[in-house]
Amino acid sequence: MKEINILAIVLLLFFGSCTDDFTELNTDPKNFTEAAVTQSEYPLFVKSALYTPNYTPFQGISDGRGAFQLGHSLFPDIYANYFATTAANFDSDQFILVGSWLNGAYTWFYNQSAPNIKIAEDTAEELGFTIENAMMKVWRVYAYQRITDLWGPIPYSNFGNLENVVLYDSQEDIYNNFFTTLDEAVTVLKANSGQTSFLGSNDVIYGGDIDSWLKFANSLRLRMALRIKYVDAAKSKSEAEKAVTDGIIDNNADNAKITTNNDFRNHYTTITQWGEFRMSADMESILKGYQDPRIASYFAPAADPDPSDDPAGLLFDYEGIRNGQLKADKQAIAFNNLASDMAAAFTTADSPGPNISIIDASEVYFLRAEGALEGWAMGGTAEALYNQGIVASHTELGFDGSDLSGNDYISSTNLPASFDGTTPAVSTVPVAYNSGGTAEEQLEQIITQKWIALYPNSEEAYAERRRTGYPKLYDRLNSLNAKISVDQLPRRMTYVSSEYSTNEEAVTDAINNLLGGPDDGTTKLWWDAKN
C-alpha cells in the first residue's frame, strides 16, 4: 500500500492479454485519457471491476481461488455457521484470526478489486460516460461495504492518492459517504430510466439495463440502512424509506447476480474439491426441523448418513457437524463422509458453478419486513413481507412452497430439530409468523429465514449475526482464542501484516483514533451496537 502507483502496474498486467493499448499507463491509475481508453475498450475495465470483488478474475491471468478460500470460505463461511471445517489445521473455526490468511484476502481487494473499480469509475467520468460512472459508483459502495464490515476503518477516500501514507476513514464516515454516493448515482440512473448502457454483455450483472441498476442501488441502500439501525435509528429509517420509495428489487427477475462461465467460475467448484469443510450442525438443525426443501439445492446427502435422527416418516440424508472441532478429532473421525458436502451445482469440477448472488428479492423482502417491524413505511406489513421473502427464496430455487412432507411451508409450525437426536435444537423459532409474539421474537424469525435465504452469501449472514444476534446457533465446541469464548463471535477481522509493514503510520492512526478498541477480534464495529 505504500507505493500506490504499483496499482497501475497490476492493472497493466491484468489487462495485458486483452489489449495492447495500455502500455503507457504505468504511473497514475487516475490519469487515463480519452486517447488511451476508447468506448470500445472501456467495457473490459468494467467487466474486471464487476468480477474481482468476488474473487473471480480472468482465468489464466490472475487466479482468485486462493483468495476466495482465504477471504470467504475460512472466515465468513464459518462465522455465519453455514459450514464447519474438517481440515485438521484450519484453526479459524476455533476463532484464530490467522494473519497470513487475512493478509491474502485484504491484499487481493486492494491489489485487484479496488484499483479496477477506481479506474472504471474515474475513467467513465473523464470520458463523459455518465450512466456508467453512476453504475460504478453503486458498485464501489457494494465492494467497499464488504470490506469495512469485516475490518471496520479501512483506506477508502484516500485510496489511489499516490502518497506513501494512505490514511484510513472511520466506518461512520465511510457509511455516510456510501449514502451520499448512492444519492449521486440514483439521480443519474433515474434521469436515464428506460435506457441501456453501451456496456452490453460486459455488464455481467444486468447487461446494461439501467432500471435494474436503479433497483439494485436502492436495494443496496436498504441493506445499509438496516445495518446502522442500532447506532443511528433516525438515519436508518430515512434511508430505508427513501430506498423503498425510489424502487427496490421485488421479484427474482431483478436479482443482482454475477453471471459465471468457464472463464469466470464460481470458486466453490474448485475449493470443494479440496475436501476441507462440510455442512454445519446448525444448518441440519434448522433445515431438518423445518423440513425445508432448499436443503437439496444447498447440500448433497452425506456419504454415510445417520437415519436415527431423521424426522418421523421422512428420509433426511443430510448431515452436519458442530463448529470448533478439535484437531485430534478431525484427524480421527471421517467427517467428510459423515457430513454433507455442498450440492452438485457447487461441486462439479471444471464447471462454471451457480451465478454469484449480490442481492436478491428474498433478502430485500426480509429487510423490508424488519423495517416494517419498526413501523417504517416499507410497502407492507412485517408479516406479509416476511412471507413474501420466503416465497421469493423458494421460487428462485424452483420449489412450490411445500415442505418435504408436502405441507404448506409458510404456515408450518415446525421447529428446528436436534441435529444428532441428543443435542437440543439450536432454537425454538417456528416458520409460521408469530403475529402475537414480541417484536424481538418476530425479528428472530425474520433473520432466521433471511439466514437460510442468503446462503451462501456468508458475508451478509455473518454481518447480520453480529448486528442482530440472530439466528440463534450452536456455540463452538472449542475456542483457541483466549479473548473469544465458545458462545461468542469475532466481531471483526484484525489488520494485516502488509499494512503494518508498508502503511504503518496510517494503520496505527486508525487503531488509536478510529477503531474504538484494540486491534483484535473483540472490538466491535461502529454499527455493531445492539449486544
Side-chain angles (χ1 to χ4, degrees), residues 297-339:
S297 294
Y298 292 173
F299 296 101
D304 297 325
D306 176 11
S308 66
D309 55 36
D310 289 355
L314 183 67
L315 180 66
F316 195 92
D317 285 343
Y318 304 91
E319 307 290 347
I321 60 171
R322 291 283 296 274
N323 288 85
Q325 299 285 341
L326 291 172
K327 178 178 180 179
D329 289 337
K330 292 180 183 179
Q331 292 172 325
I333 301 172
F335 286 123
N336 280 355
N337 292 331
L338 297 174

Short mmCIF file of all heavy atoms in Angstrom, two decimals, residues 297-339:
data_model
loop_
_atom_site.label_atom_id
_atom_site.label_comp_id
_atom_site.label_asym_id
_atom_site.label_seq_id
_atom_site.Cartn_x
_atom_site.Cartn_y
_atom_site.Cartn_z
N SER A 297 -30.98 -28.02 -2.69
CA SER A 297 -30.27 -27.06 -3.53
C SER A 297 -28.98 -26.58 -2.89
O SER A 297 -28.08 -26.08 -3.58
CB SER A 297 -31.16 -25.84 -3.81
OG SER A 297 -32.28 -26.19 -4.58
N TYR A 298 -28.88 -26.74 -1.59
CA TYR A 298 -27.73 -26.25 -0.85
C TYR A 298 -26.67 -27.32 -0.62
O TYR A 298 -25.47 -27.05 -0.67
CB TYR A 298 -28.17 -25.70 0.50
CG TYR A 298 -29.01 -24.45 0.46
CD1 TYR A 298 -29.59 -23.95 1.63
CD2 TYR A 298 -29.23 -23.73 -0.71
CE1 TYR A 298 -30.35 -22.79 1.63
CE2 TYR A 298 -30.01 -22.58 -0.74
CZ TYR A 298 -30.56 -22.10 0.45
OH TYR A 298 -31.31 -20.96 0.44
N PHE A 299 -27.12 -28.54 -0.33
CA PHE A 299 -26.19 -29.59 0.10
C PHE A 299 -26.51 -30.92 -0.57
O PHE A 299 -27.60 -31.12 -1.12
CB PHE A 299 -26.24 -29.77 1.63
CG PHE A 299 -25.77 -28.56 2.38
CD1 PHE A 299 -26.68 -27.67 2.94
CD2 PHE A 299 -24.41 -28.29 2.51
CE1 PHE A 299 -26.24 -26.55 3.62
CE2 PHE A 299 -23.97 -27.17 3.19
CZ PHE A 299 -24.89 -26.29 3.75
N ALA A 300 -25.54 -31.83 -0.49
CA ALA A 300 -25.70 -33.19 -1.01
C ALA A 300 -25.89 -34.15 0.16
O ALA A 300 -25.42 -33.90 1.27
CB ALA A 300 -24.47 -33.60 -1.81
N PRO A 301 -26.57 -35.27 -0.05
CA PRO A 301 -26.66 -36.27 1.01
C PRO A 301 -25.27 -36.71 1.46
O PRO A 301 -24.33 -36.77 0.66
CB PRO A 301 -27.42 -37.42 0.35
CG PRO A 301 -28.20 -36.78 -0.75
CD PRO A 301 -27.33 -35.67 -1.25
N ALA A 302 -25.13 -36.99 2.74
CA ALA A 302 -23.85 -37.47 3.27
C ALA A 302 -23.53 -38.85 2.71
O ALA A 302 -24.43 -39.64 2.40
CB ALA A 302 -23.91 -37.52 4.79
N ALA A 303 -22.25 -39.13 2.57
CA ALA A 303 -21.83 -40.45 2.09
C ALA A 303 -22.26 -41.54 3.06
O ALA A 303 -22.66 -42.64 2.65
CB ALA A 303 -20.33 -40.48 1.87
N ASP A 304 -22.18 -41.26 4.37
CA ASP A 304 -22.58 -42.22 5.41
C ASP A 304 -23.61 -41.55 6.32
O ASP A 304 -23.30 -41.16 7.44
CB ASP A 304 -21.37 -42.66 6.23
CG ASP A 304 -20.34 -43.41 5.41
OD1 ASP A 304 -20.75 -44.15 4.49
OD2 ASP A 304 -19.13 -43.24 5.67
N PRO A 305 -24.85 -41.43 5.88
CA PRO A 305 -25.85 -40.73 6.68
C PRO A 305 -26.28 -41.53 7.90
O PRO A 305 -26.16 -42.77 7.94
CB PRO A 305 -27.01 -40.56 5.70
CG PRO A 305 -26.87 -41.70 4.75
CD PRO A 305 -25.40 -41.91 4.60
N ASP A 306 -26.79 -40.80 8.88
CA ASP A 306 -27.30 -41.41 10.11
C ASP A 306 -28.81 -41.25 10.14
O ASP A 306 -29.33 -40.16 10.39
CB ASP A 306 -26.68 -40.72 11.33
CG ASP A 306 -27.22 -41.23 12.65
OD1 ASP A 306 -27.92 -42.27 12.64
OD2 ASP A 306 -26.95 -40.60 13.69
N PRO A 307 -29.57 -42.34 9.89
CA PRO A 307 -31.03 -42.22 9.84
C PRO A 307 -31.70 -42.15 11.21
O PRO A 307 -32.91 -41.90 11.29
CB PRO A 307 -31.45 -43.49 9.11
CG PRO A 307 -30.39 -44.48 9.45
CD PRO A 307 -29.11 -43.69 9.56
N SER A 308 -30.94 -42.34 12.27
CA SER A 308 -31.55 -42.45 13.60
C SER A 308 -32.20 -41.15 14.07
O SER A 308 -33.08 -41.18 14.93
CB SER A 308 -30.50 -42.90 14.62
OG SER A 308 -29.49 -41.91 14.80
N ASP A 309 -31.78 -40.01 13.53
CA ASP A 309 -32.35 -38.74 13.97
C ASP A 309 -33.22 -38.09 12.90
O ASP A 309 -33.53 -36.90 12.98
CB ASP A 309 -31.24 -37.77 14.42
CG ASP A 309 -30.19 -37.54 13.34
OD1 ASP A 309 -30.54 -37.50 12.16
OD2 ASP A 309 -28.99 -37.40 13.71
N ASP A 310 -33.62 -38.86 11.88
CA ASP A 310 -34.48 -38.31 10.84
C ASP A 310 -35.88 -38.02 11.38
O ASP A 310 -36.35 -38.70 12.30
CB ASP A 310 -34.61 -39.29 9.66
CG ASP A 310 -33.33 -39.38 8.85
OD1 ASP A 310 -32.38 -38.63 9.15
OD2 ASP A 310 -33.27 -40.22 7.93
N PRO A 311 -36.57 -37.02 10.82
CA PRO A 311 -37.95 -36.77 11.23
C PRO A 311 -38.83 -37.99 10.97
O PRO A 311 -38.56 -38.76 10.03
CB PRO A 311 -38.37 -35.59 10.33
CG PRO A 311 -37.08 -34.95 9.93
CD PRO A 311 -36.09 -36.06 9.82
N ALA A 312 -39.85 -38.17 11.77
CA ALA A 312 -40.74 -39.32 11.63
C ALA A 312 -41.32 -39.39 10.23
O ALA A 312 -41.89 -38.41 9.73
CB ALA A 312 -41.85 -39.25 12.67
N GLY A 313 -41.17 -40.54 9.60
CA GLY A 313 -41.74 -40.76 8.28
C GLY A 313 -41.02 -40.08 7.14
O GLY A 313 -41.54 -40.01 6.03
N LEU A 314 -39.81 -39.53 7.40
CA LEU A 314 -39.10 -38.77 6.38
C LEU A 314 -37.64 -39.19 6.34
O LEU A 314 -36.97 -39.25 7.37
CB LEU A 314 -39.19 -37.27 6.70
CG LEU A 314 -38.56 -36.32 5.69
CD1 LEU A 314 -39.33 -36.35 4.37
CD2 LEU A 314 -38.53 -34.90 6.25
N LEU A 315 -37.15 -39.52 5.14
CA LEU A 315 -35.74 -39.81 4.95
C LEU A 315 -35.00 -38.50 4.78
O LEU A 315 -35.30 -37.72 3.87
CB LEU A 315 -35.54 -40.70 3.72
CG LEU A 315 -34.09 -41.11 3.40
CD1 LEU A 315 -33.54 -42.01 4.49
CD2 LEU A 315 -34.02 -41.79 2.04
N PHE A 316 -34.02 -38.24 5.63
CA PHE A 316 -33.25 -37.00 5.60
C PHE A 316 -31.78 -37.36 5.70
O PHE A 316 -31.24 -37.53 6.79
CB PHE A 316 -33.68 -36.08 6.75
CG PHE A 316 -33.21 -34.65 6.59
CD1 PHE A 316 -34.00 -33.70 5.97
CD2 PHE A 316 -31.96 -34.26 7.08
CE1 PHE A 316 -33.55 -32.38 5.83
CE2 PHE A 316 -31.51 -32.95 6.96
CZ PHE A 316 -32.31 -32.00 6.33
N ASP A 317 -31.13 -37.50 4.55
CA ASP A 317 -29.75 -37.99 4.49
C ASP A 317 -28.72 -36.87 4.55
O ASP A 317 -27.55 -37.09 4.24
CB ASP A 317 -29.53 -38.80 3.21
CG ASP A 317 -30.17 -40.18 3.29
OD1 ASP A 317 -30.47 -40.63 4.42
OD2 ASP A 317 -30.36 -40.80 2.23
N TYR A 318 -29.15 -35.68 4.92
CA TYR A 318 -28.24 -34.54 5.00
C TYR A 318 -27.76 -34.41 6.44
O TYR A 318 -28.56 -34.34 7.38
CB TYR A 318 -28.95 -33.27 4.56
CG TYR A 318 -29.53 -33.38 3.18
CD1 TYR A 318 -30.85 -33.81 2.98
CD2 TYR A 318 -28.78 -33.07 2.05
CE1 TYR A 318 -31.39 -33.92 1.72
CE2 TYR A 318 -29.31 -33.17 0.78
CZ TYR A 318 -30.62 -33.60 0.61
OH TYR A 318 -31.15 -33.72 -0.65
N GLU A 319 -26.44 -34.36 6.62
CA GLU A 319 -25.87 -34.38 7.96
C GLU A 319 -24.91 -33.22 8.16
O GLU A 319 -24.19 -32.82 7.24
CB GLU A 319 -25.11 -35.70 8.21
CG GLU A 319 -25.90 -36.97 7.92
CD GLU A 319 -27.01 -37.23 8.92
OE1 GLU A 319 -27.03 -36.57 10.00
OE2 GLU A 319 -27.85 -38.09 8.65
N GLY A 320 -24.90 -32.68 9.39
CA GLY A 320 -23.99 -31.59 9.72
C GLY A 320 -23.09 -31.93 10.88
O GLY A 320 -23.32 -32.92 11.59
N ILE A 321 -22.07 -31.12 11.08
CA ILE A 321 -21.16 -31.29 12.22
C ILE A 321 -21.02 -29.96 12.95
O ILE A 321 -21.20 -28.88 12.36
CB ILE A 321 -19.78 -31.80 11.80
CG1 ILE A 321 -19.10 -30.82 10.82
CG2 ILE A 321 -19.88 -33.18 11.19
CD1 ILE A 321 -17.64 -31.18 10.54
N ARG A 322 -20.68 -30.04 14.21
CA ARG A 322 -20.51 -28.84 15.03
C ARG A 322 -19.26 -28.08 14.63
O ARG A 322 -18.24 -28.65 14.24
CB ARG A 322 -20.42 -29.22 16.51
CG ARG A 322 -21.72 -29.75 17.12
CD ARG A 322 -22.70 -28.64 17.42
NE ARG A 322 -22.22 -27.72 18.45
CZ ARG A 322 -22.37 -27.90 19.75
NH1 ARG A 322 -23.00 -28.99 20.21
NH2 ARG A 322 -21.94 -27.00 20.61
N ASN A 323 -19.32 -26.78 14.75
CA ASN A 323 -18.13 -25.95 14.55
C ASN A 323 -17.20 -26.04 15.74
O ASN A 323 -17.65 -26.25 16.88
CB ASN A 323 -18.53 -24.49 14.34
CG ASN A 323 -19.18 -24.24 13.00
OD1 ASN A 323 -20.38 -24.43 12.85
ND2 ASN A 323 -18.39 -23.83 12.02
N GLY A 324 -15.90 -25.87 15.49
CA GLY A 324 -14.92 -25.86 16.57
C GLY A 324 -14.41 -27.22 16.96
O GLY A 324 -14.04 -27.44 18.11
N GLN A 325 -14.37 -28.14 16.01
CA GLN A 325 -13.85 -29.48 16.29
C GLN A 325 -12.35 -29.40 16.61
O GLN A 325 -11.60 -28.65 16.00
CB GLN A 325 -14.06 -30.39 15.09
CG GLN A 325 -15.49 -30.60 14.68
CD GLN A 325 -16.26 -31.52 15.61
OE1 GLN A 325 -15.67 -32.28 16.38
NE2 GLN A 325 -17.58 -31.45 15.55
N LEU A 326 -11.92 -30.22 17.57
CA LEU A 326 -10.50 -30.30 17.89
C LEU A 326 -9.71 -30.91 16.74
O LEU A 326 -10.23 -31.74 15.98
CB LEU A 326 -10.29 -31.15 19.14
CG LEU A 326 -10.80 -30.57 20.47
CD1 LEU A 326 -10.69 -31.61 21.57
CD2 LEU A 326 -10.02 -29.32 20.84
N LYS A 327 -8.45 -30.54 16.63
CA LYS A 327 -7.58 -31.09 15.60
C LYS A 327 -7.53 -32.60 15.68
O LYS A 327 -7.61 -33.29 14.66
CB LYS A 327 -6.18 -30.49 15.74
CG LYS A 327 -5.19 -31.04 14.73
CD LYS A 327 -3.82 -30.37 14.89
CE LYS A 327 -2.82 -30.90 13.89
NZ LYS A 327 -1.49 -30.23 14.02
N ALA A 328 -7.42 -33.13 16.88
CA ALA A 328 -7.34 -34.58 17.04
C ALA A 328 -8.59 -35.28 16.54
O ALA A 328 -8.52 -36.36 15.93
CB ALA A 328 -7.09 -34.94 18.51
N ASP A 329 -9.74 -34.67 16.77
CA ASP A 329 -10.99 -35.27 16.29
C ASP A 329 -11.09 -35.20 14.78
O ASP A 329 -11.59 -36.13 14.13
CB ASP A 329 -12.18 -34.57 16.94
CG ASP A 329 -12.32 -34.90 18.42
OD1 ASP A 329 -11.81 -35.96 18.84
OD2 ASP A 329 -12.93 -34.10 19.15
N LYS A 330 -10.62 -34.10 14.20
CA LYS A 330 -10.64 -34.00 12.74
C LYS A 330 -9.73 -35.06 12.11
O LYS A 330 -10.02 -35.56 11.01
CB LYS A 330 -10.18 -32.61 12.30
CG LYS A 330 -11.15 -31.49 12.65
CD LYS A 330 -10.59 -30.16 12.16
CE LYS A 330 -11.47 -28.99 12.53
NZ LYS A 330 -10.91 -27.70 12.06
N GLN A 331 -8.65 -35.38 12.80
CA GLN A 331 -7.73 -36.39 12.28
C GLN A 331 -8.26 -37.81 12.48
O GLN A 331 -7.95 -38.71 11.69
CB GLN A 331 -6.36 -36.25 12.97
CG GLN A 331 -5.62 -34.98 12.61
CD GLN A 331 -4.37 -34.77 13.44
OE1 GLN A 331 -4.33 -35.12 14.63
NE2 GLN A 331 -3.33 -34.20 12.83
N ALA A 332 -9.08 -37.99 13.51
CA ALA A 332 -9.51 -39.34 13.86
C ALA A 332 -10.87 -39.72 13.28
O ALA A 332 -11.16 -40.91 13.10
CB ALA A 332 -9.55 -39.48 15.38
N ILE A 333 -11.71 -38.73 12.99
CA ILE A 333 -13.09 -39.00 12.57
C ILE A 333 -13.26 -38.61 11.10
O ILE A 333 -12.83 -37.54 10.68
CB ILE A 333 -14.08 -38.21 13.45
CG1 ILE A 333 -13.91 -38.60 14.93
CG2 ILE A 333 -15.52 -38.47 13.00
CD1 ILE A 333 -14.70 -37.74 15.89
N ALA A 334 -13.92 -39.47 10.35
CA ALA A 334 -14.11 -39.24 8.91
C ALA A 334 -15.27 -38.29 8.67
O ALA A 334 -16.30 -38.65 8.09
CB ALA A 334 -14.33 -40.57 8.20
N PHE A 335 -15.11 -37.04 9.10
CA PHE A 335 -16.19 -36.08 8.98
C PHE A 335 -16.63 -35.86 7.54
O PHE A 335 -17.80 -35.58 7.27
CB PHE A 335 -15.78 -34.74 9.60
CG PHE A 335 -15.76 -34.73 11.10
CD1 PHE A 335 -14.61 -34.39 11.80
CD2 PHE A 335 -16.89 -35.06 11.83
CE1 PHE A 335 -14.59 -34.37 13.18
CE2 PHE A 335 -16.89 -35.05 13.22
CZ PHE A 335 -15.73 -34.71 13.90
N ASN A 336 -15.70 -35.95 6.60
CA ASN A 336 -16.07 -35.72 5.21
C ASN A 336 -17.05 -36.76 4.69
O ASN A 336 -17.82 -36.48 3.75
CB ASN A 336 -14.82 -35.70 4.32
CG ASN A 336 -14.10 -34.37 4.37
OD1 ASN A 336 -14.55 -33.42 4.99
ND2 ASN A 336 -12.95 -34.30 3.73
N ASN A 337 -17.05 -37.94 5.26
CA ASN A 337 -18.03 -38.96 4.89
C ASN A 337 -19.30 -38.84 5.71
O ASN A 337 -20.39 -39.14 5.24
CB ASN A 337 -17.44 -40.36 5.07
CG ASN A 337 -16.34 -40.67 4.09
OD1 ASN A 337 -16.34 -40.15 2.98
ND2 ASN A 337 -15.40 -41.51 4.49
N LEU A 338 -19.16 -38.42 6.96
CA LEU A 338 -20.30 -38.38 7.87
C LEU A 338 -21.20 -37.17 7.65
O LEU A 338 -22.37 -37.20 8.03
CB LEU A 338 -19.81 -38.40 9.32
CG LEU A 338 -19.04 -39.65 9.76
CD1 LEU A 338 -18.49 -39.47 11.16
CD2 LEU A 338 -19.93 -40.88 9.68
N ALA A 339 -20.65 -36.11 7.08
CA ALA A 339 -21.40 -34.87 6.91
C ALA A 339 -21.52 -34.51 5.43
O ALA A 339 -20.78 -35.01 4.58
CB ALA A 339 -20.74 -33.73 7.68
#
